[in-house]
């Protein structure tokens, strides 16, 4: 247990020393990447936390700055990637047309008919039309041959057409 405490003390002083030497440069880089002071500080803090777990395993202590810089760049890229996904999701939600009350009953009929299909047909239809996967991707996910997926989709869609009474 004493060795663990000593390791933590060494890591802590090493991290404090590295923070004192590199924080300003890291903050400048982060700010130039983001243009946002608060976000830049958050990214630098996250980068130091991530790097702290690997301090004793660094082969080249002189390479810390490069490792920190790469971590900041990756965190900034990840932050903007997440924001883009959130923005696209919100745009899709805003674009959703209002639902007609008649549409709800049609949807419910279709949902019930879909749930009544055998699991293989239902899975094939959901993957092909709701998840927009290709026949090959669907076959791969289901562990079947593409011809089997075509057959499952065809039979399932035929059942849905007769059950729901509309062209689905």
């Amino acid at each position: 247990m004493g060795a663990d405490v000593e390791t933590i003390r060494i890591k802590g002083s090493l991290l404090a020393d590295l923070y004192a030497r590199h924080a300003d440069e890291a903050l400048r880089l982060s700010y130039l990447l983001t243009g946002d002071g608060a976000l830049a500080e958050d990214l630098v803090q996250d980068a130091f936390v991530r790097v702290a777990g690997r301090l004793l395993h660094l082969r080249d202590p002189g390479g810390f700055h490069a490792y920190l810089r790469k971590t900041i760049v990756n965190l900034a890229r990840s932050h903007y990637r997440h924001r883009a996904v959130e923005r696209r999701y919100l745009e899709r939600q805003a674009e959703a047309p209002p639902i007609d009350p008649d549409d709800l009953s049609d949807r419910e009929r279709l949902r019930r008919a879909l749930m009544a299909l055998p699991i293989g047909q239902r899975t094939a239809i959901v993957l092909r039309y709701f998840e927009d996967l290709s026949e090959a991707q669907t076959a791969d996910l289901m562990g079947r041959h593409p011809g089997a997926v075509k057959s499952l989709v065809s039979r399932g869609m035929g059942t849905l057409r007769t059950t729901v009474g509309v062209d689905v």
Side-chain angles (χ1 to χ4, degrees):
M1 178 123 180
D4 291 338
V5 171
E6 186 61 29
T7 301
I8 291 170
R9 190 181 353 258
I10 290 169
K11 259 189 187 177
S13 67
L14 180 59
L15 182 61
D17 179 50
L18 289 170
Y19 186 84
R21 283 192 284 159
H22 298 285
D24 289 338
E25 292 173 9
L27 188 57
R28 183 174 36 256
L29 169 64
S30 186
Y31 180 76
L32 289 172
L33 291 173
T34 64
D36 180 336
L39 176 59
E41 289 175 5
D42 288 346
L43 292 181
V44 168
Q45 182 179 2
D46 287 351
F48 270 99
V49 167
R50 287 179 186 226
V51 172
R54 297 185 172 103
L55 282 178
L56 296 179
H57 303 290
L58 287 177
R59 285 179 277 194
D60 177 18
F64 176 81
H65 179 68
Y67 187 64
L68 180 66
R69 182 176 45 233
K70 183 173 180 75
T71 302
I72 290 169
V73 169
N74 287 339
L75 286 170
R77 185 179 312 140
S78 178
H79 170 78
Y80 285 109
R81 192 175 318 125
H82 287 281
R83 276 193 38 193
V85 168
E86 289 172 357
R87 187 173 41 254
R88 285 192 303 270
Y89 172 78
L90 291 173
E91 287 170 357
R92 279 195 312 269
Q93 295 305 312
E95 293 172 1
I99 298 173
D100 228 5
D102 294 335
D103 188 36
L104 289 177
S105 64
D106 288 345
R107 277 190 194 183
E108 183 57 26
R109 271 190 325 165
L110 182 58
R111 187 193 69 77
R112 272 192 248 124
L114 185 63
M115 296 310 292
L117 290 176
I119 188 66
Q121 291 176 11
R122 182 171 57 226
T123 302
I125 288 171
V126 167
L127 291 174
R128 286 285 289 130
Y129 297 109
F130 291 94
E131 293 295 316
D132 200 28
L133 297 180
S134 69
E135 285 175 1
Q137 291 168 319
T138 302
D140 187 49
L141 276 173
M142 292 181 70
R144 305 238 181 158
H145 293 287
V149 168
K150 276 178 125 169
S151 177
L152 288 169
V153 168
S154 177
R155 284 183 299 190
M157 292 300 285
T159 302
L160 288 176
R161 283 185 190 97
T162 58
T163 304
V164 177
V166 294
D167 192 23
V168 289

